[in-house]
Amino acid sequence: MTGDSAHPVADETPAAVGDEGNEKAGSDATRRGLLKAAAGATVAGAASTAGCLAVTTPADVAARNEVSGNVAHVVGPGWLADHREDVVVLDARDPDRFRRSRVYGARRAPVDALSAQDRTDGGLVPDVDAIATVLGDLGVAPDDDVVVYGASVGSRVTRVAFALAALGHAGDISVLNGGFGAWNGRVGTGSRDRVSSVDYEPDPAESAWVTREWIADRVGSFNEGGPGLVDVRVPEAYLGAPGSDALDPDHDRHGHLPGAINVHWVGNVAGRRMTDPARLVRLYEAEADLDRNAPVVVYGDENVDPTSTWLTLRAIGFEDVRLYDGGFGEWANAAGDRGRYPVETATSVVIETDGSVGGEDRGGDFSCTG
Protein backbone atom coordinates (compact mmCIF):
# COMPACT_ATOMS: atom_id res chain seq x y z
CA MET A 1 0.00 0.00 0.00
CA THR A 2 1.33 3.44 -0.89
CA GLY A 3 0.64 6.92 0.33
CA ASP A 4 1.01 10.39 -1.14
CA SER A 5 2.38 13.10 1.13
CA ALA A 6 4.64 16.11 1.38
CA HIS A 7 8.38 15.41 1.48
CA PRO A 8 9.39 14.70 5.11
CA VAL A 9 12.05 17.13 6.31
CA ALA A 10 13.13 15.31 9.44
CA ASP A 11 14.27 12.05 7.86
CA GLU A 12 15.54 12.93 4.40
CA THR A 13 17.25 16.29 4.66
CA PRO A 14 20.43 17.00 2.69
CA ALA A 15 23.74 16.42 4.40
CA ALA A 16 26.35 19.14 4.56
CA VAL A 17 28.46 19.30 1.46
CA GLY A 18 32.12 20.07 0.87
CA ASP A 19 33.64 23.05 -0.88
CA GLU A 20 33.73 21.37 -4.30
CA GLY A 21 30.73 23.29 -5.63
CA ASN A 22 32.43 26.59 -4.84
CA GLU A 23 35.73 25.89 -6.61
CA LYS A 24 36.46 27.96 -9.70
CA ALA A 25 37.53 26.17 -12.83
CA GLY A 26 40.45 28.58 -13.21
CA SER A 27 42.40 29.15 -16.35
CA ASP A 28 44.48 25.98 -16.41
CA ALA A 29 43.76 23.97 -19.51
CA THR A 30 43.97 20.20 -19.65
CA ARG A 31 46.34 18.67 -22.12
CA ARG A 32 43.53 18.56 -24.69
CA GLY A 33 41.83 21.82 -23.85
CA LEU A 34 38.75 20.15 -22.36
CA LEU A 35 38.69 21.90 -19.00
CA LYS A 36 37.19 25.06 -20.47
CA ALA A 37 34.34 23.11 -22.00
CA ALA A 38 33.75 21.14 -18.83
CA ALA A 39 33.63 24.29 -16.76
CA GLY A 40 30.34 25.08 -18.47
CA ALA A 41 28.94 21.68 -17.53
CA THR A 42 28.29 22.55 -13.95
CA VAL A 43 26.07 21.06 -11.35
CA ALA A 44 24.32 24.03 -9.74
CA GLY A 45 26.27 24.65 -6.58
CA ALA A 46 24.35 27.33 -4.77
CA ALA A 47 20.63 27.67 -4.14
CA SER A 48 18.95 31.04 -4.02
CA THR A 49 18.50 32.28 -0.50
CA ALA A 50 16.57 35.44 -1.30
CA GLY A 51 14.23 36.17 1.58
CA CYS A 52 15.64 33.26 3.58
CA LEU A 53 16.25 34.17 7.19
CA ALA A 54 16.38 30.81 8.93
CA VAL A 55 15.66 27.88 6.62
CA THR A 56 16.30 26.60 3.12
CA THR A 57 13.18 25.39 1.35
CA PRO A 58 12.86 22.05 -0.44
CA ALA A 59 12.75 24.00 -3.71
CA ASP A 60 16.15 25.53 -2.85
CA VAL A 61 17.59 22.09 -2.20
CA ALA A 62 16.22 20.77 -5.48
CA ALA A 63 17.67 23.76 -7.36
CA ARG A 64 21.09 23.18 -5.80
CA ASN A 65 21.16 19.73 -7.36
CA GLU A 66 20.06 20.54 -10.89
CA VAL A 67 22.41 19.45 -13.65
CA SER A 68 23.32 21.49 -16.72
CA GLY A 69 25.85 21.28 -19.47
CA ASN A 70 27.45 18.27 -21.09
CA VAL A 71 27.22 15.80 -18.21
CA ALA A 72 25.99 12.29 -19.05
CA HIS A 73 24.12 9.81 -16.85
CA VAL A 74 23.32 12.31 -14.06
CA VAL A 75 19.97 14.13 -13.85
CA GLY A 76 18.56 16.68 -11.42
CA PRO A 77 15.29 16.53 -9.47
CA GLY A 78 13.64 18.97 -11.88
CA TRP A 79 14.39 16.70 -14.82
CA LEU A 80 13.01 13.71 -12.95
CA ALA A 81 9.84 15.60 -12.04
CA ASP A 82 9.30 16.45 -15.71
CA HIS A 83 9.94 12.90 -16.91
CA ARG A 84 8.62 10.88 -13.97
CA GLU A 85 5.89 9.15 -16.01
CA ASP A 86 8.35 8.11 -18.71
CA VAL A 87 11.02 6.38 -16.61
CA VAL A 88 11.38 3.50 -14.17
CA VAL A 89 12.74 4.78 -10.84
CA LEU A 90 14.86 2.45 -8.70
CA ASP A 91 15.61 3.16 -5.02
CA ALA A 92 19.01 1.82 -3.84
CA ARG A 93 18.48 2.57 -0.14
CA ASP A 94 17.78 0.07 2.63
CA PRO A 95 14.25 -1.34 3.11
CA ASP A 96 13.40 0.80 6.17
CA ARG A 97 14.12 4.08 4.40
CA PHE A 98 12.30 2.89 1.33
CA ARG A 99 9.15 2.09 3.32
CA ARG A 100 9.33 5.34 5.27
CA SER A 101 9.35 7.62 2.24
CA ARG A 102 10.40 7.37 -1.39
CA VAL A 103 9.88 8.88 -4.83
CA TYR A 104 6.32 7.99 -5.69
CA GLY A 105 6.20 4.76 -7.70
CA ALA A 106 9.86 3.88 -7.09
CA ARG A 107 10.86 0.23 -6.83
CA ARG A 108 13.50 -0.88 -4.33
CA ALA A 109 16.67 -2.23 -5.94
CA PRO A 110 18.46 -4.82 -3.73
CA VAL A 111 22.09 -3.78 -4.17
CA ASP A 112 23.59 -7.03 -2.85
CA ALA A 113 21.62 -9.10 -5.37
CA LEU A 114 22.58 -6.72 -8.17
CA SER A 115 26.26 -7.19 -7.24
CA ALA A 116 26.10 -10.96 -7.87
CA GLN A 117 29.21 -12.55 -9.38
CA ASP A 118 29.92 -15.64 -11.45
CA ARG A 119 33.18 -17.55 -11.07
CA THR A 120 34.76 -18.31 -14.46
CA ASP A 121 38.12 -19.69 -15.58
CA GLY A 122 39.25 -16.10 -16.16
CA GLY A 123 38.08 -14.88 -12.76
CA LEU A 124 35.00 -13.30 -11.22
CA VAL A 125 32.56 -11.51 -13.54
CA PRO A 126 29.06 -10.08 -13.13
CA ASP A 127 26.43 -12.83 -12.91
CA VAL A 128 24.27 -11.45 -15.69
CA ASP A 129 21.63 -14.16 -15.41
CA ALA A 130 21.10 -13.60 -11.67
CA ILE A 131 21.05 -9.81 -12.16
CA ALA A 132 18.57 -10.11 -15.02
CA THR A 133 16.25 -12.20 -12.84
CA VAL A 134 16.28 -9.52 -10.12
CA LEU A 135 15.50 -6.75 -12.58
CA GLY A 136 12.80 -8.81 -14.23
CA ASP A 137 11.15 -9.34 -10.84
CA LEU A 138 11.17 -5.55 -10.44
CA GLY A 139 9.32 -5.20 -13.72
CA VAL A 140 12.27 -3.57 -15.48
CA ALA A 141 12.33 -4.27 -19.22
CA PRO A 142 15.52 -4.03 -21.30
CA ASP A 143 14.31 -0.94 -23.17
CA ASP A 144 13.06 1.02 -20.14
CA ASP A 145 14.73 4.32 -19.34
CA VAL A 146 15.86 4.02 -15.71
CA VAL A 147 16.78 6.56 -13.02
CA VAL A 148 18.48 5.26 -9.86
CA TYR A 149 18.65 7.20 -6.59
CA GLY A 150 19.80 6.64 -3.02
CA ALA A 151 20.63 8.79 -0.03
CA SER A 152 23.36 10.42 -2.17
CA VAL A 153 25.17 9.72 -5.44
CA GLY A 154 27.38 7.20 -3.64
CA SER A 155 28.52 3.77 -4.77
CA ARG A 156 25.31 1.87 -3.95
CA VAL A 157 23.53 3.93 -6.59
CA THR A 158 26.28 3.57 -9.16
CA ARG A 159 26.45 -0.19 -8.57
CA VAL A 160 22.82 -0.49 -9.67
CA ALA A 161 23.62 1.63 -12.74
CA PHE A 162 26.56 -0.64 -13.55
CA ALA A 163 24.41 -3.77 -13.16
CA LEU A 164 22.07 -2.43 -15.82
CA ALA A 165 24.95 -1.56 -18.14
CA ALA A 166 26.49 -5.02 -17.67
CA LEU A 167 23.29 -6.57 -19.00
CA GLY A 168 23.51 -4.47 -22.14
CA HIS A 169 20.46 -2.47 -21.06
CA ALA A 170 19.04 -0.71 -24.12
CA GLY A 171 17.27 2.12 -22.30
CA ASP A 172 18.93 5.19 -20.85
CA ILE A 173 20.58 4.75 -17.41
CA SER A 174 20.85 7.77 -15.10
CA VAL A 175 21.34 8.57 -11.41
CA LEU A 176 19.62 11.34 -9.43
CA ASN A 177 21.95 14.10 -8.31
CA GLY A 178 21.52 14.89 -4.61
CA GLY A 179 19.74 11.63 -3.84
CA PHE A 180 16.33 11.43 -2.22
CA GLY A 181 17.06 14.46 -0.06
CA ALA A 182 16.96 16.63 -3.20
CA TRP A 183 13.54 15.37 -4.30
CA ASN A 184 10.64 17.71 -3.55
CA GLY A 185 7.98 16.03 -5.68
CA ARG A 186 5.34 13.44 -4.90
CA VAL A 187 6.38 10.71 -2.47
CA GLY A 188 5.06 7.31 -1.47
CA THR A 189 5.22 5.34 1.77
CA GLY A 190 4.62 1.81 2.96
CA SER A 191 5.46 -1.51 1.35
CA ARG A 192 6.42 -1.55 -2.29
CA ASP A 193 3.94 -1.06 -5.09
CA ARG A 194 2.89 -4.21 -6.85
CA VAL A 195 4.54 -4.54 -10.24
CA SER A 196 4.24 -7.21 -12.87
CA SER A 197 7.44 -9.15 -13.43
CA VAL A 198 8.90 -9.39 -16.91
CA ASP A 199 11.26 -11.78 -18.62
CA TYR A 200 14.49 -9.81 -18.82
CA GLU A 201 16.69 -11.29 -21.56
CA PRO A 202 20.21 -9.94 -21.01
CA ASP A 203 22.52 -9.05 -23.86
CA PRO A 204 25.75 -9.01 -21.82
CA ALA A 205 28.02 -6.03 -22.50
CA GLU A 206 31.28 -7.81 -21.75
CA SER A 207 33.21 -4.70 -22.72
CA ALA A 208 31.95 -3.14 -19.45
CA TRP A 209 34.24 -5.32 -17.33
CA VAL A 210 37.58 -7.12 -17.34
CA THR A 211 38.75 -10.32 -15.68
CA ARG A 212 41.78 -11.24 -13.59
CA GLU A 213 43.33 -12.95 -16.63
CA TRP A 214 42.72 -9.92 -18.86
CA ILE A 215 44.70 -7.82 -16.40
CA ALA A 216 47.42 -10.46 -15.94
CA ASP A 217 48.01 -10.45 -19.70
CA ARG A 218 48.65 -6.69 -19.58
CA VAL A 219 50.80 -6.28 -16.46
CA GLY A 220 53.57 -3.83 -17.28
CA SER A 221 51.51 -1.85 -19.78
CA PHE A 222 49.08 0.08 -17.56
CA ASN A 223 49.43 3.87 -17.64
CA GLU A 224 52.52 3.42 -19.81
CA GLY A 225 50.94 3.85 -23.21
CA GLY A 226 48.46 1.05 -22.52
CA PRO A 227 45.12 1.08 -20.71
CA GLY A 228 44.71 3.27 -17.65
CA LEU A 229 44.35 1.44 -14.33
CA VAL A 230 42.82 3.21 -11.33
CA ASP A 231 42.74 1.89 -7.75
CA VAL A 232 39.81 3.61 -6.00
CA ARG A 233 40.62 2.54 -2.42
CA VAL A 234 41.90 4.77 0.35
CA PRO A 235 45.63 5.56 -0.09
CA GLU A 236 46.65 3.47 2.93
CA ALA A 237 45.18 0.34 1.33
CA TYR A 238 46.72 1.16 -2.06
CA LEU A 239 50.14 1.68 -0.45
CA GLY A 240 49.86 -1.45 1.71
CA ALA A 241 50.77 0.71 4.71
CA PRO A 242 51.91 -1.66 7.50
CA GLY A 243 49.61 -1.65 10.50
CA SER A 244 46.92 0.44 8.81
CA ASP A 245 43.31 -0.29 9.68
CA ALA A 246 42.58 0.08 5.96
CA LEU A 247 44.27 -3.26 5.23
CA ASP A 248 41.86 -6.17 4.88
CA PRO A 249 43.04 -8.93 7.26
CA ASP A 250 41.60 -11.55 4.91
CA HIS A 251 44.03 -10.62 2.13
CA ASP A 252 47.18 -12.69 1.74
CA ARG A 253 49.05 -9.73 0.24
CA HIS A 254 48.77 -5.95 0.40
CA GLY A 255 49.57 -3.16 -2.01
CA HIS A 256 48.15 -2.58 -5.48
CA LEU A 257 48.10 -3.94 -9.00
CA PRO A 258 51.31 -3.06 -10.90
CA GLY A 259 50.97 0.20 -12.81
CA ALA A 260 47.81 1.34 -11.03
CA ILE A 261 47.41 4.91 -9.87
CA ASN A 262 45.33 5.75 -6.80
CA VAL A 263 42.35 8.12 -6.92
CA HIS A 264 40.07 7.53 -3.94
CA TRP A 265 36.49 7.24 -5.19
CA VAL A 266 35.09 9.63 -2.57
CA GLY A 267 36.54 12.49 -4.61
CA ASN A 268 33.64 11.95 -7.01
CA VAL A 269 31.09 13.09 -4.44
CA ALA A 270 30.48 16.39 -2.66
CA GLY A 271 28.05 15.59 0.15
CA ARG A 272 25.09 14.07 -1.63
CA ARG A 273 25.75 15.37 -5.10
CA MET A 274 28.28 14.93 -7.86
CA THR A 275 31.52 16.89 -7.49
CA ASP A 276 31.72 19.89 -9.82
CA PRO A 277 32.45 18.46 -13.29
CA ALA A 278 35.22 20.96 -14.00
CA ARG A 279 36.99 19.73 -10.87
CA LEU A 280 36.50 16.12 -12.00
CA VAL A 281 38.04 16.84 -15.40
CA ARG A 282 41.07 18.36 -13.67
CA LEU A 283 41.27 15.42 -11.27
CA TYR A 284 41.20 12.64 -13.83
CA GLU A 285 42.79 14.27 -16.87
CA ALA A 286 45.20 16.94 -15.65
CA GLU A 287 46.22 15.33 -12.34
CA ALA A 288 45.77 11.60 -12.95
CA ASP A 289 46.79 12.02 -16.62
CA LEU A 290 44.18 9.56 -17.90
CA ASP A 291 43.33 9.51 -21.60
CA ARG A 292 39.59 9.84 -22.21
CA ASN A 293 39.97 8.18 -25.62
CA ALA A 294 41.76 5.06 -24.30
CA PRO A 295 40.44 2.19 -22.15
CA VAL A 296 40.43 2.85 -18.39
CA VAL A 297 39.97 0.06 -15.85
CA VAL A 298 38.86 0.76 -12.27
CA TYR A 299 39.02 -1.54 -9.28
CA GLY A 300 38.63 -1.56 -5.50
CA ASP A 301 38.56 -4.21 -2.83
CA GLU A 302 35.25 -5.54 -4.13
CA ASN A 303 32.85 -4.51 -6.89
CA VAL A 304 30.68 -1.75 -5.41
CA ASP A 305 32.87 1.31 -4.65
CA PRO A 306 34.72 1.33 -8.00
CA THR A 307 31.42 1.74 -9.85
CA SER A 308 31.39 5.34 -8.57
CA THR A 309 34.52 6.06 -10.59
CA TRP A 310 33.20 3.98 -13.48
CA LEU A 311 30.10 6.17 -13.74
CA THR A 312 31.92 9.43 -13.01
CA LEU A 313 34.39 8.91 -15.84
CA ARG A 314 31.56 8.08 -18.22
CA ALA A 315 29.67 11.16 -17.04
CA ILE A 316 32.53 13.50 -17.97
CA GLY A 317 33.09 11.94 -21.37
CA PHE A 318 35.50 9.01 -21.06
CA GLU A 319 34.57 6.64 -23.85
CA ASP A 320 35.75 3.22 -22.64
CA VAL A 321 35.57 2.59 -18.88
CA ARG A 322 35.64 -0.95 -17.49
CA LEU A 323 35.26 -2.51 -14.05
CA TYR A 324 37.56 -5.22 -12.69
CA ASP A 325 34.74 -7.04 -10.96
CA GLY A 326 36.95 -9.40 -8.96
CA GLY A 327 38.83 -6.50 -7.40
CA PHE A 328 41.99 -6.48 -5.32
CA GLY A 329 40.59 -9.17 -3.03
CA GLU A 330 40.55 -11.69 -5.86
CA TRP A 331 43.96 -10.59 -7.16
CA ALA A 332 45.71 -10.60 -3.78
CA ASN A 333 44.41 -14.06 -2.88
CA ALA A 334 44.89 -15.72 -6.26
CA ALA A 335 46.02 -19.32 -6.05
CA GLY A 336 48.70 -20.94 -8.17
CA ASP A 337 51.51 -19.03 -9.86
CA ARG A 338 51.42 -15.70 -8.07
CA GLY A 339 54.15 -14.43 -10.33
CA ARG A 340 51.38 -13.97 -12.85
CA TYR A 341 49.46 -11.81 -10.36
CA PRO A 342 52.12 -9.56 -8.80
CA VAL A 343 51.36 -7.00 -6.08
CA GLU A 344 53.29 -3.75 -6.03
CA THR A 345 54.22 -1.36 -3.23
CA ALA A 346 57.52 0.18 -4.37
CA THR A 347 56.09 2.34 -7.17
CA SER A 348 53.09 4.43 -6.15
CA VAL A 349 51.16 7.36 -7.59
CA VAL A 350 48.55 8.82 -5.24
CA ILE A 351 46.28 11.58 -6.56
CA GLU A 352 44.84 13.53 -3.63
CA THR A 353 41.07 13.95 -3.43
CA ASP A 354 38.92 15.89 -1.00
CA GLY A 355 35.35 14.70 -1.51
CA SER A 356 32.85 13.71 1.16
CA VAL A 357 29.89 11.37 1.05
CA GLY A 358 26.60 12.35 2.67
CA GLY A 359 23.58 10.15 3.13
CA GLU A 360 23.23 9.59 6.86
CA ASP A 361 20.54 11.47 8.75
CA ARG A 362 22.14 14.61 10.17
CA GLY A 363 20.14 17.00 12.27
CA GLY A 364 20.57 20.71 11.73
CA ASP A 365 21.75 20.55 8.11
CA PHE A 366 18.52 21.84 6.60
CA SER A 367 19.24 25.55 6.94
CA CYS A 368 20.41 28.61 5.09
CA THR A 369 23.98 28.02 6.23
CA GLY A 370 23.91 24.23 5.77
Side-chain angles (χ1 to χ4, degrees):
M1 179 176 181
T2 61
D4 183 9
S5 63
H7 195 299
V9 172
D11 292 324
E12 294 294 346
T13 55
V17 298
D19 295 328
E20 295 289 332
N22 296 323
E23 284 196 38
K24 296 181 180 179
S27 59
D28 294 338
T30 65
R31 51 196 169 87
R32 279 180 299 281
L34 293 166
L35 179 57
K36 183 177 179 181
T42 58
V43 177
S48 171
T49 57
C52 177
L53 297 179
V55 297
T56 295
T57 69
D60 291 330
V61 176
R64 182 184 299 147
N65 291 281
E66 293 302 340
V67 180
S68 64
N70 190 24
V71 178
H73 305 296
V74 184
V75 299
W79 186 97
L80 180 57
D82 291 341
H83 297 83
R84 177 62 197 87
E85 300 303 319
D86 304 320
V87 299
V88 172
V89 180
L90 298 180
D91 186 317
R93 299 174 303 160
D94 63 62
D96 288 341
R97 289 192 171 203
F98 175 79
R99 285 191 293 267
R100 185 189 309 155
S101 187
R102 62 180 180 273
V103 173
Y104 187 80
R107 310 166 194 180
R108 197 184 81 81
V111 176
D112 288 346
L114 293 172
S115 305
Q117 295 177 309
D118 184 26
R119 191 174 298 277
T120 71
D121 290 342
L124 293 169
V125 300
D127 189 335
V128 292
D129 291 331
I131 293 170
T133 298
V134 173
L135 291 171
D137 289 344
L138 292 173
V140 179
D143 58 351
D144 284 335
D145 293 335
V146 178
V147 175
V148 189
Y149 74 89
S152 70
V153 289
S155 57
R156 289 175 59 86
V157 173
T158 56
R159 177 64 218 188
V160 176
F162 175 82
L164 287 157
L167 298 190
H169 191 77
D172 292 338
I173 306 167
S174 304
V175 301
L176 178 63
N177 199 40
F180 183 70
W183 175 248
N184 68 338
R186 191 181 182 190
V187 301
T189 61
S191 58
R192 77 171 191 172
D193 296 328
R194 291 184 179 181
V195 295
S196 298
S197 63
V198 300
D199 186 14
Y200 194 116
E201 288 291 338
D203 182 18
E206 296 187 7
S207 61
W209 67 81
V210 302
T211 65
R212 180 189 64 227
E213 296 308 309
W214 187 95
I215 290 180
D217 288 343
R218 292 162 177 80
V219 167
S221 68
F222 293 111
N223 293 306
E224 294 291 341
L229 184 61
V230 181
D231 185 316
V232 310
R233 299 173 298 161
V234 297
E236 292 80 5
Y238 166 83
L239 296 168
S244 171
D245 291 340
L247 301 184
D248 190 325
D250 292 330
H251 292 348
D252 293 343
R253 297 176 291 171
H254 299 291
H256 55 270
L257 276 59
I261 61 174
N262 176 237
V263 187
H264 188 207
W265 74 270
V266 171
N268 305 324
V269 185
R272 294 193 180 191
R273 63 178 181 255
M274 178 185 182
T275 294
D276 177 72
R279 167 59 184 146
L280 291 170
V281 170
R282 290 201 303 275
L283 177 65
Y284 286 107
E285 286 201 293
E287 298 172 26
D289 200 29
L290 295 175
D291 185 349
R292 68 168 54 225
N293 298 312
V296 177
V297 177
V298 297
Y299 76 90
D301 254 332
E302 297 178 344
N303 67 351
V304 175
D305 288 350
T307 60
S308 172
T309 301
W310 171 84
L311 186 94
T312 296
L313 291 173
R314 287 168 55 94
I316 61 175
F318 280 70
E319 297 179 358
D320 184 358
V321 190
R322 312 179 190 187
L323 175 71
Y324 173 29
D325 208 57
F328 186 76
E330 177 187 53
W331 185 270
N333 299 316
D337 179 13
R338 290 195 171 177
R340 181 166 169 77
Y341 317 111
V343 170
E344 183 176 71
T345 56
T347 303
S348 305
V349 178
V350 176
I351 310 299
E352 292 186 1
T353 62
D354 54 2
S356 62
V357 180
E360 298 297 327
D361 287 339
R362 297 181 184 181
D365 288 330
F366 198 65
S367 69
C368 284
T369 58

